[in-house]
Amino acid sequence: MDNALTVESAISLFLLLIQIPATAILLSRLLKGPRRHPPIEPQQPTPELLGSVSVVVPTLNEVLRISPLLAGLSRQSYEVREIIVVDSKSQDGTPDLVKAAQQQDPRFRLMTDDPLPSGWVGRPWALHNGFLHSSEDSQWFMGLDADIQPHPGLIAGLVKTAEAQGYDLVSLSPQFILKYPGECWLQPALLMTLLYRFDPAGINTEQPERVMANGQCFLCRRSVLATVGGYTSARSSFCDDVTLARNIAAQGFKVGFLDGAKVLKVRMYEGAMETWKEWGRSLDLKDASSPAQIWGDLWLLFAVQGLPLVIVLAYLFSPLPLFPSSPLLLLLGLNLFLLLIRFAMLLAIAPSYDRKSVKGGWLFWLSPLADPLAVLRIFLSAFRTPREWRGRKYSAE
């Protein structure tokens, strides 16, 4: 019995040493929440914004999901000078949809990017081409993904906020559209891996290497983007948005990441399997991080998101000792506290999801049960370099 208690205490102390510092870091980030900038609101443009924004949309076989974006962009007002769709030789009719939109709105322009050079990833290459062909008279460059569904007043609201707050670059977190049970359970757990690692949206992060960004809706002063050579510094990154934002922040420019749930929605992937494969392999952000950052983030996620459920379940379903040791009781209390935080975070992010048409929407509230799986996905992604993305294959070099 004494030997069993000694082993139990040793294991408990070891886990506490892993979890307590990580919990302190997590709390230091979450406690910044009350100071965050409120969500962006849609706004009407004012005359000084006339023709101030060039929008660039990279596309590759997006025919099934680009229509809401094209319609939403047409509803933006006179602050938008041009909308350049840079297509990478889609084979599914995407260019035809853009040409049809152009007949209704002359601000649309379709171009095909040059063959992908060695060392470039497709998305930053398309965005870079769009930047080079955009009007130098625009004050702002905006990159939007084809799966975005913008509300009227998105661009005016974002530009006005950027100018009022003095941002040189600002991106938005969207409202996610969920449709199927599996993704309703898995996607929030994957999103939580980002929320645990970084400051809340709306907090100005002072350390460039900890800056967060989302290329789905990415606004940058044209002069700043020209200063850093467009997307060249993120040419080989599979998380080019974060890589570019951190490079720009490192040069002293003000970079922001704000809550955009009231101004844009996104339907990213169809079902849990596609979410696991496509989104999961970019969430590690290894292309924008040093090895020390990657290992630090993996430790934090393992400690505060991966372990709590496992430890609590192990305690509940293992033979209970008659007199649990103090370290074991402390360990159990800490992990129950972490689970409480996790469910509180679920309530906090609920407005970031559109679950009106979802089947099995109740699974959203069970997403903490997917946390160990989500953390495993980040570990798998952190040690693998993508070889295929959006239908493009990349060499191992």
Side-chain angles (χ1 to χ4, degrees), residues 113-135:
D113 54 3
D114 294 330
L116 189 66
S118 176
W120 280 82
V121 173
R123 187 176 182 279
W125 174 243
L127 287 163
H128 186 69
N129 274 271
F131 168 68
L132 294 178
H133 287 85
S134 62
S135 173

Side-chain angles (χ1 to χ4, degrees), residues 361-383:
W362 55 273
L363 286 168
F364 173 83
W365 302 107
L366 297 183
S367 65
L369 301 181
D371 278 1
L373 193 63
V375 173
L376 173 63
R377 186 64 184 92
I378 304 304
F379 270 80
L380 293 175
S381 180
F383 300 110

Side-chain angles (χ1 to χ4, degrees), residues 176-180 183-185 187-188 266-267 353-359 364:
F176 298 96
I177 301 171
L178 299 178
K179 291 186 179 180
Y180 302 112
E183 66 185 277
C184 206
W185 180 69
Q187 206 271 8
V266 61
R267 176 67 184 149
Y353 286 92
D354 179 346
R355 294 176 284 121
K356 298 188 196 72
S357 60
V358 70
K359 302 173 183 177
F364 173 83

Side-chain angles (χ1 to χ4, degrees), residues 250-323:
Q251 296 196 33
F253 297 105
K254 186 176 181 181
V255 175
F257 179 58
L258 305 179
D259 185 346
K262 293 184 177 181
V263 290
L264 74 159
K265 297 182 180 182
V266 61
R267 176 67 184 149
M268 290 176 63
Y269 303 114
E270 295 298 322
M273 290 304 296
E274 190 174 349
T275 300
W276 170 272
K277 178 183 176 183
E278 298 290 347
W279 199 32
R281 63 183 172 183
S282 64
L283 285 174
D284 60 271
L285 306 181
K286 60 177 174 291
D287 292 344
S289 308
S290 67
Q293 281 181 266
I294 295 170
W295 281 106
D297 285 348
L298 292 176
W299 156 68
L300 184 134
L301 289 178
F302 175 70
V304 300
Q305 189 179 359
L307 280 178
L309 181 65
V310 174
I311 289 174
V312 171
L313 290 178
Y315 181 84
L316 292 177
F317 291 100
S318 63
L320 295 177
L322 185 60
F323 300 105

Side-chain angles (χ1 to χ4, degrees), residues 175-251:
Q175 186 180 56
F176 298 96
I177 301 171
L178 299 178
K179 291 186 179 180
Y180 302 112
E183 66 185 277
C184 206
W185 180 69
L186 177 63
Q187 206 271 8
L190 288 170
L191 177 65
M192 201 61 62
T193 66
L194 292 174
L195 301 182
Y196 276 13
R197 283 180 283 166
F198 301 101
D199 289 337
I203 293 295
N204 290 330
T205 303
E206 297 180 358
Q207 300 170 291
E209 67 274 10
R210 301 305 301 178
V211 160
M212 186 56 189
N214 178 21
Q216 292 170 324
C217 182
F218 193 91
L219 181 75
C220 186
R221 294 186 190 273
R222 181 182 173 83
S223 58
V224 171
L225 201 53
T227 297
V228 300
Y231 277 75
T232 54
S233 65
R235 63 168 69 89
S236 61
S237 176
F238 285 95
C239 56
D240 56 273
D241 45 7
V242 180
T243 300
L244 182 60
R246 291 179 178 178
N247 289 338
I248 288 175
Q251 296 196 33

